[in-house]
Amino acid sequence: MDIKKEIKLTATTSAEDGTIIATYQGSVDTTNPKKISYNPYIADQELYRLNRTKVKEDQMAFEDALYSEQDKMLLAQEGTEE
């Protein structure tokens, strides 16, 4: 049996009324931190068009958080290989 462990992050961008505009999902494989998966999804095209700047800012912040997790794992892995 092959058991895989990963760190998973999820986030959403919502309109003022709480309607979800976009969702973001990403994961980093803990065994091989170089392996990363990232999936943004636009849930409401009309609200996306009206809130494009907010969505782009949230998307960049999510990517930063995801890559930060990956960087931590890569550094930890380098420390154990010495």
Side-chain angles (χ1 to χ4, degrees), residues 13-66:
T13 298
S14 300
E16 289 182 17
D17 68 358
T19 303
I20 294 175
I21 301 170
T23 61
Y24 317 95
Q25 296 180 354
S27 62
V28 182
D29 186 324
T30 60
T31 307
N32 179 10
K34 291 180 182 178
K35 187 175 179 183
I36 193 169
S37 172
Y38 171 55
N39 299 302
Y41 173 72
I42 305 302
D44 188 310
Q45 290 292 329
E46 182 65 21
L47 284 175
Y48 171 73
R49 188 178 63 76
L50 296 171
N51 296 279
R52 199 172 309 169
T53 301
K54 179 181 180 180
V55 172
K56 295 285 185 185
E57 289 171 354
D58 287 355
Q59 185 174 359
M60 287 175 30
F62 181 81
E63 288 176 10
D64 288 346
L66 183 62

